[in-house]
Amino acid sequence: MGNNAQISTSISKRYALLIVVVTTLVIAFLYAAGLFGGHGTTAQQFVNLQENNKPQFSFRRAHAKGVCLAGEFESSGLLSPYSTSEFFQKGAQPFVGRFSIAGGNPLAPDLAAPVRSLALSFASDSGQRWRTAMNTPPVMAVRTPEEFYQQIQVLTPDPATGKPDGEKIKAFFAAHPETAAFNAWKNSYTATTSFATEQYHSINAFYVLDAQGQRQAVRWAAVPQAHAQPMAADISDSDPDALQNELAQRLAENPVRFDLMVSLADESDDENNATIAWPAERKTINAGTVVIRSVQPQQGGACEGINFDPLVLPQGMQATDDPILNARGSAYAESYRRRARESFIEAQTAGAQQ
Ligand code: HEM
């Protein structure tokens, strides 16, 4: 090979190498930006879908209808060998909470909602924070944020008919056998007449950490102490604010109590898969009692400005790698950003009109 031919081969090789490097960098960037299948659902897409073209200004984009709560957690201290968190040492910790129903409509009729929720926010004097948002189902239907996005898509009413497409729903659940535990819960669940008599689940697993840094995967549930009454089958004439009104009446007489039951995973449980319930025989610790003493309207209430992001955890607790849990943080932040901006604009407009 002559000198010229050698030089041109070496230049071509360098160009080829450059192209490979640049292409690899571009692919890595796109992957990190979440633009390929499997990592493709952004917080904005989630919240746009939850708004469903009807953003409810200054309200949460999910679980829009709710009430603020105040009370304290009376920790039994029984979880303290597993977690150094100060919230699990024996003693009382105040919280701000919120009962809500799932969905983006702040005027939705209480009893028609398929899911009810309890959220709690703790803030200690030493600067520790813990937020938890729990729902009535014990498990997720699907394992990943992308599949959850598709699930919301198929359950969203078609604008032409005002109803979700039954065939699409059937096809979605048939294509996802991991929905079995969720469906079993759904088929056996009977809603009750009160927020105070539902059981609320963390669904996602978390780690608790002991003084040696040893970690243990856990899930928790707020289990009601009050006796439940099943809801009537026909709710068509009922008060749209039935759950809120019942709660206010109940709290006028007595506080509402839940036991915070914490289940410990064993080696065979996958803490990163929220579609599978852990067997009932897993060791379960009563970490203490959630005592709700008062209720307040959410607008202007102490819970309005709180983002109940489940990734806000104190020392002695950690997030697992559950992909749904990790997607929640950014989606809640996006919803919070939108509603906080709108509340600010509303307040300014009201101020300017005075
Ligand atoms: C990828 C999955 C999920 C997404 C994208 C999502 C999205 C959201 C969003 C955007 C909000 C409104 C946040 C705000 O403006 O403050 C919200 C609230 C809430 N979510 Fe989720 N969520 C997911 C999974 C879950 C799960 C697994 C649970 C239950 C364990 C849950 C329970 C709640 C509750 C209770 C609230 C209301 C909290 C409050 O009272 O402010 N979510 N969710």
Side-chain angles (χ1 to χ4, degrees), residues 46-47 50 60-63 98 100 117-119 133-135 140 145 148 201-204 306-308 324 327-328 331-332 335-336 339:
F46 255 122
V47 176
Q50 286 167 320
R60 286 167 170 82
R61 291 341 200 229
H63 303 255
R98 186 169 177 268
S100 62
S117 314
L118 170 61
M134 300 169 275
N135 280 350
M140 292 294 293
F148 184 55
H201 301 91
S202 71
I203 306 184
N204 302 117
I306 298 180
N307 167 8
F308 289 90
I324 295 258
R328 287 172 71 185
Y332 288 37
S335 167
Y336 184 80
R339 63 187 176 91

Short mmCIF file of all heavy atoms in Angstrom, two decimals, residues 46-47 50 60-63 98 100 117-119 133-135 140 145 148 201-204 306-308 324 327-328 331-332 335-336 339, ligand 1:
data_model
loop_
_atom_site.label_atom_id
_atom_site.label_comp_id
_atom_site.label_asym_id
_atom_site.label_seq_id
_atom_site.Cartn_x
_atom_site.Cartn_y
_atom_site.Cartn_z
N PHE A 46 -47.27 12.05 32.88
CA PHE A 46 -48.16 11.49 33.91
C PHE A 46 -49.19 12.53 34.32
O PHE A 46 -50.39 12.26 34.36
CB PHE A 46 -47.36 11.10 35.16
CG PHE A 46 -47.17 9.61 35.28
CD1 PHE A 46 -45.89 9.07 35.34
CD2 PHE A 46 -48.26 8.77 35.35
CE1 PHE A 46 -45.71 7.71 35.45
CE2 PHE A 46 -48.08 7.40 35.46
CZ PHE A 46 -46.81 6.86 35.50
N VAL A 47 -48.71 13.71 34.65
CA VAL A 47 -49.61 14.72 35.19
C VAL A 47 -50.56 15.24 34.10
O VAL A 47 -51.74 15.47 34.36
CB VAL A 47 -48.81 15.84 35.90
CG1 VAL A 47 -49.73 16.96 36.38
CG2 VAL A 47 -48.06 15.25 37.09
N GLN A 50 -53.20 12.66 33.98
CA GLN A 50 -54.08 12.74 35.16
C GLN A 50 -55.01 13.95 35.06
O GLN A 50 -56.15 13.89 35.50
CB GLN A 50 -53.24 12.75 36.45
CG GLN A 50 -52.67 11.36 36.73
CD GLN A 50 -51.59 11.34 37.80
OE1 GLN A 50 -50.74 12.23 37.86
NE2 GLN A 50 -51.60 10.32 38.63
N ARG A 60 -54.67 19.54 43.56
CA ARG A 60 -53.83 18.39 43.23
C ARG A 60 -54.35 17.73 41.96
O ARG A 60 -55.57 17.63 41.80
CB ARG A 60 -53.85 17.37 44.38
CG ARG A 60 -53.06 17.80 45.59
CD ARG A 60 -53.39 16.90 46.78
NE ARG A 60 -52.47 17.13 47.89
CZ ARG A 60 -52.58 18.12 48.77
NH1 ARG A 60 -53.56 18.99 48.68
NH2 ARG A 60 -51.68 18.25 49.75
N ARG A 61 -53.43 17.25 41.10
CA ARG A 61 -53.85 16.64 39.84
C ARG A 61 -54.26 15.18 40.03
O ARG A 61 -54.80 14.56 39.11
CB ARG A 61 -52.73 16.72 38.81
CG ARG A 61 -52.42 18.11 38.28
CD ARG A 61 -53.48 19.15 38.48
NE ARG A 61 -53.29 20.26 37.55
CZ ARG A 61 -53.29 21.53 37.86
NH1 ARG A 61 -53.52 21.92 39.11
NH2 ARG A 61 -53.11 22.45 36.93
N ALA A 62 -54.00 14.64 41.18
CA ALA A 62 -54.50 13.31 41.54
C ALA A 62 -54.95 13.45 42.99
O ALA A 62 -54.39 14.25 43.73
CB ALA A 62 -53.40 12.27 41.42
N HIS A 63 -55.98 12.70 43.38
CA HIS A 63 -56.51 12.79 44.75
C HIS A 63 -56.88 14.25 45.06
O HIS A 63 -56.53 14.79 46.11
CB HIS A 63 -55.48 12.27 45.77
CG HIS A 63 -55.05 10.87 45.51
ND1 HIS A 63 -55.47 9.79 46.26
CD2 HIS A 63 -54.23 10.37 44.56
CE1 HIS A 63 -54.93 8.69 45.78
NE2 HIS A 63 -54.17 9.00 44.74
N ARG A 98 -54.02 14.08 55.61
CA ARG A 98 -55.07 14.36 54.62
C ARG A 98 -55.78 13.07 54.25
O ARG A 98 -55.11 12.09 53.90
CB ARG A 98 -54.43 15.01 53.39
CG ARG A 98 -55.42 15.49 52.35
CD ARG A 98 -54.73 16.37 51.30
NE ARG A 98 -55.66 16.77 50.27
CZ ARG A 98 -55.87 16.10 49.13
NH1 ARG A 98 -55.16 15.01 48.87
NH2 ARG A 98 -56.76 16.52 48.26
N SER A 100 -58.32 11.59 51.38
CA SER A 100 -58.72 12.01 50.03
C SER A 100 -59.35 10.85 49.29
O SER A 100 -59.31 9.71 49.76
CB SER A 100 -57.50 12.53 49.25
OG SER A 100 -56.55 11.49 49.10
N SER A 117 -57.83 7.37 50.44
CA SER A 117 -56.42 7.53 50.79
C SER A 117 -56.22 8.26 52.10
O SER A 117 -57.05 9.09 52.48
CB SER A 117 -55.70 8.32 49.70
OG SER A 117 -56.06 7.83 48.43
N LEU A 118 -55.09 7.97 52.69
CA LEU A 118 -54.66 8.67 53.91
C LEU A 118 -53.19 9.05 53.73
O LEU A 118 -52.36 8.19 53.42
CB LEU A 118 -54.81 7.75 55.13
CG LEU A 118 -54.19 8.24 56.45
CD1 LEU A 118 -54.82 9.55 56.91
CD2 LEU A 118 -54.36 7.18 57.55
N ALA A 119 -52.89 10.34 53.91
CA ALA A 119 -51.50 10.80 53.82
C ALA A 119 -51.11 11.46 55.14
O ALA A 119 -51.95 12.09 55.79
CB ALA A 119 -51.38 11.81 52.68
N ALA A 133 -47.99 8.50 51.78
CA ALA A 133 -49.30 8.61 51.14
C ALA A 133 -49.77 7.19 50.87
O ALA A 133 -49.11 6.45 50.13
CB ALA A 133 -49.19 9.41 49.85
N MET A 134 -50.88 6.80 51.51
CA MET A 134 -51.33 5.40 51.47
C MET A 134 -52.70 5.30 50.80
O MET A 134 -53.51 6.22 50.93
CB MET A 134 -51.44 4.86 52.90
CG MET A 134 -50.14 4.88 53.66
SD MET A 134 -50.38 4.54 55.43
CE MET A 134 -50.79 6.15 56.06
N ASN A 135 -52.92 4.17 50.15
CA ASN A 135 -54.20 3.93 49.46
C ASN A 135 -54.87 2.67 49.98
O ASN A 135 -54.20 1.82 50.57
CB ASN A 135 -53.94 3.74 47.96
CG ASN A 135 -53.76 5.04 47.21
OD1 ASN A 135 -54.00 6.12 47.76
ND2 ASN A 135 -53.33 4.96 45.97
N MET A 140 -50.18 -2.80 43.79
CA MET A 140 -50.38 -2.15 42.50
C MET A 140 -50.86 -3.21 41.51
O MET A 140 -50.56 -4.40 41.66
CB MET A 140 -49.05 -1.60 41.95
CG MET A 140 -48.44 -0.44 42.68
SD MET A 140 -49.40 1.08 42.60
CE MET A 140 -49.29 1.52 40.85
N PRO A 145 -43.75 2.19 36.06
CA PRO A 145 -44.47 3.43 35.77
C PRO A 145 -45.06 3.44 34.36
O PRO A 145 -46.15 3.96 34.14
CB PRO A 145 -43.41 4.52 35.90
CG PRO A 145 -42.26 3.91 36.57
CD PRO A 145 -42.36 2.42 36.46
N PHE A 148 -48.16 1.52 34.41
CA PHE A 148 -49.17 2.25 35.18
C PHE A 148 -49.76 3.38 34.33
O PHE A 148 -50.96 3.64 34.34
CB PHE A 148 -48.55 2.79 36.48
CG PHE A 148 -49.54 3.47 37.38
CD1 PHE A 148 -50.69 2.80 37.80
CD2 PHE A 148 -49.35 4.77 37.82
CE1 PHE A 148 -51.63 3.43 38.63
CE2 PHE A 148 -50.27 5.40 38.65
CZ PHE A 148 -51.41 4.72 39.05
N HIS A 201 -52.80 1.36 52.74
CA HIS A 201 -51.52 0.62 52.57
C HIS A 201 -50.43 1.48 51.93
O HIS A 201 -50.71 2.26 51.01
CB HIS A 201 -51.73 -0.59 51.66
CG HIS A 201 -52.75 -1.55 52.21
ND1 HIS A 201 -54.08 -1.47 51.89
CD2 HIS A 201 -52.62 -2.58 53.06
CE1 HIS A 201 -54.73 -2.43 52.52
NE2 HIS A 201 -53.87 -3.12 53.24
N SER A 202 -49.19 1.24 52.37
CA SER A 202 -48.05 1.93 51.74
C SER A 202 -47.84 1.42 50.32
O SER A 202 -47.26 2.09 49.49
CB SER A 202 -46.77 1.70 52.54
OG SER A 202 -46.32 0.36 52.42
N ILE A 203 -48.32 0.24 50.02
CA ILE A 203 -48.19 -0.48 48.74
C ILE A 203 -46.71 -0.69 48.38
O ILE A 203 -46.25 -1.82 48.29
CB ILE A 203 -48.94 0.22 47.59
CG1 ILE A 203 -50.42 0.44 47.99
CG2 ILE A 203 -48.83 -0.61 46.31
CD1 ILE A 203 -51.29 1.04 46.88
N ASN A 204 -45.98 0.37 48.16
CA ASN A 204 -44.54 0.24 47.88
C ASN A 204 -43.82 -0.16 49.16
O ASN A 204 -44.27 0.15 50.26
CB ASN A 204 -43.95 1.57 47.38
CG ASN A 204 -44.65 2.07 46.14
OD1 ASN A 204 -45.27 3.13 46.14
ND2 ASN A 204 -44.55 1.33 45.06
N ILE A 306 -48.70 21.03 51.31
CA ILE A 306 -47.75 19.91 51.50
C ILE A 306 -47.79 19.00 50.28
O ILE A 306 -48.87 18.65 49.80
CB ILE A 306 -48.09 19.11 52.78
CG1 ILE A 306 -47.97 19.99 54.01
CG2 ILE A 306 -47.20 17.87 52.90
CD1 ILE A 306 -48.27 19.30 55.33
N ASN A 307 -46.62 18.64 49.81
CA ASN A 307 -46.49 17.62 48.77
C ASN A 307 -46.15 16.31 49.51
O ASN A 307 -45.04 16.17 50.00
CB ASN A 307 -45.38 18.05 47.80
CG ASN A 307 -44.95 16.94 46.87
OD1 ASN A 307 -45.58 15.88 46.83
ND2 ASN A 307 -43.89 17.18 46.13
N PHE A 308 -47.11 15.40 49.56
CA PHE A 308 -46.91 14.15 50.33
C PHE A 308 -46.05 13.17 49.52
O PHE A 308 -46.47 12.05 49.21
CB PHE A 308 -48.25 13.53 50.71
CG PHE A 308 -48.99 14.30 51.77
CD1 PHE A 308 -49.88 15.31 51.44
CD2 PHE A 308 -48.77 14.04 53.11
CE1 PHE A 308 -50.55 16.03 52.42
CE2 PHE A 308 -49.44 14.77 54.11
CZ PHE A 308 -50.33 15.76 53.75
N ILE A 324 -41.95 2.11 40.60
CA ILE A 324 -43.15 2.94 40.80
C ILE A 324 -42.89 3.95 41.91
O ILE A 324 -43.18 5.14 41.76
CB ILE A 324 -44.38 2.06 41.19
CG1 ILE A 324 -44.76 1.13 40.04
CG2 ILE A 324 -45.54 2.91 41.69
CD1 ILE A 324 -45.93 1.53 39.20
N ALA A 327 -40.81 6.73 40.63
CA ALA A 327 -41.49 7.64 39.68
C ALA A 327 -42.44 8.59 40.42
O ALA A 327 -42.76 9.67 39.92
CB ALA A 327 -42.30 6.83 38.67
N ARG A 328 -42.88 8.20 41.60
CA ARG A 328 -43.87 9.04 42.31
C ARG A 328 -43.28 10.41 42.66
O ARG A 328 -43.96 11.42 42.52
CB ARG A 328 -44.36 8.32 43.58
CG ARG A 328 -45.29 7.17 43.27
CD ARG A 328 -45.62 6.34 44.51
NE ARG A 328 -46.50 7.04 45.45
CZ ARG A 328 -46.84 6.55 46.64
NH1 ARG A 328 -46.37 5.38 47.04
NH2 ARG A 328 -47.64 7.23 47.43
N ALA A 331 -43.45 12.93 39.78
CA ALA A 331 -44.84 13.23 39.37
C ALA A 331 -45.52 14.11 40.42
O ALA A 331 -46.21 15.08 40.08
CB ALA A 331 -45.62 11.94 39.17
N TYR A 332 -45.30 13.81 41.70
CA TYR A 332 -45.92 14.63 42.76
C TYR A 332 -45.37 16.05 42.69
O TYR A 332 -46.10 17.02 42.87
CB TYR A 332 -45.65 14.04 44.15
CG TYR A 332 -46.41 12.77 44.47
CD1 TYR A 332 -46.63 11.81 43.49
CD2 TYR A 332 -46.88 12.51 45.74
CE1 TYR A 332 -47.31 10.63 43.78
CE2 TYR A 332 -47.58 11.34 46.03
CZ TYR A 332 -47.78 10.40 45.04
OH TYR A 332 -48.46 9.24 45.33
N SER A 335 -47.05 17.96 39.82
CA SER A 335 -48.41 18.38 40.19
C SER A 335 -48.33 19.55 41.18
O SER A 335 -49.06 20.54 41.06
CB SER A 335 -49.14 17.19 40.81
OG SER A 335 -50.32 17.58 41.45
N TYR A 336 -47.40 19.42 42.13
CA TYR A 336 -47.25 20.46 43.16
C TYR A 336 -46.85 21.80 42.52
O TYR A 336 -47.38 22.85 42.85
CB TYR A 336 -46.21 20.01 44.19
CG TYR A 336 -46.07 20.99 45.32
CD1 TYR A 336 -46.99 21.01 46.36
CD2 TYR A 336 -45.05 21.93 45.34
CE1 TYR A 336 -46.90 21.92 47.39
CE2 TYR A 336 -44.94 22.84 46.36
CZ TYR A 336 -45.86 22.83 47.37
OH TYR A 336 -45.78 23.75 48.40
N ARG A 339 -49.90 23.35 40.76
CA ARG A 339 -50.94 23.92 41.63
C ARG A 339 -50.41 25.08 42.47
O ARG A 339 -51.14 26.04 42.74
CB ARG A 339 -51.60 22.83 42.48
CG ARG A 339 -50.72 22.11 43.47
CD ARG A 339 -51.49 20.95 44.10
NE ARG A 339 -50.71 20.13 45.00
CZ ARG A 339 -50.60 20.33 46.30
NH1 ARG A 339 -51.21 21.35 46.85
NH2 ARG A 339 -49.89 19.52 47.05
C1 HEM B 1 -46.31 5.98 39.24
C2 HEM B 1 -47.27 5.90 40.14
C3 HEM B 1 -47.96 7.12 40.71
C4 HEM B 1 -48.09 8.38 40.18
C5 HEM B 1 -47.57 8.90 38.87
C6 HEM B 1 -48.83 9.16 41.16
C7 HEM B 1 -49.17 10.49 40.99
C8 HEM B 1 -49.71 11.31 41.96
C9 HEM B 1 -49.83 12.75 41.89
C10 HEM B 1 -49.41 13.60 40.69
C11 HEM B 1 -50.37 13.20 43.04
C12 HEM B 1 -50.68 14.66 43.44
C13 HEM B 1 -49.52 15.22 44.27
C14 HEM B 1 -49.73 16.67 44.76
O1 HEM B 1 -50.08 17.57 43.97
O2 HEM B 1 -49.49 16.94 45.97
C15 HEM B 1 -50.61 12.04 43.85
C16 HEM B 1 -51.18 12.07 45.08
C17 HEM B 1 -51.34 10.96 45.85
N1 HEM B 1 -50.94 9.67 45.56
FE1 HEM B 1 -50.05 9.01 43.93
N2 HEM B 1 -49.14 8.38 42.23
C18 HEM B 1 -48.62 7.13 41.99
C19 HEM B 1 -48.68 6.04 42.81
C20 HEM B 1 -49.26 6.05 44.04
C21 HEM B 1 -49.29 4.94 44.96
C22 HEM B 1 -48.62 3.57 44.73
C23 HEM B 1 -49.97 5.36 46.07
C24 HEM B 1 -50.30 4.63 47.32
C25 HEM B 1 -49.47 3.92 48.01
C26 HEM B 1 -50.35 6.73 45.86
C27 HEM B 1 -51.05 7.52 46.75
C28 HEM B 1 -51.29 8.86 46.62
C29 HEM B 1 -52.00 9.66 47.60
C30 HEM B 1 -52.58 9.15 48.91
C31 HEM B 1 -52.01 10.97 47.13
C32 HEM B 1 -52.65 12.18 47.79
C33 HEM B 1 -51.68 12.75 48.79
C34 HEM B 1 -52.31 13.97 49.42
O3 HEM B 1 -53.24 13.80 50.23
O4 HEM B 1 -51.89 15.07 49.07
N3 HEM B 1 -49.90 7.13 44.62
N4 HEM B 1 -50.20 10.91 43.18
#
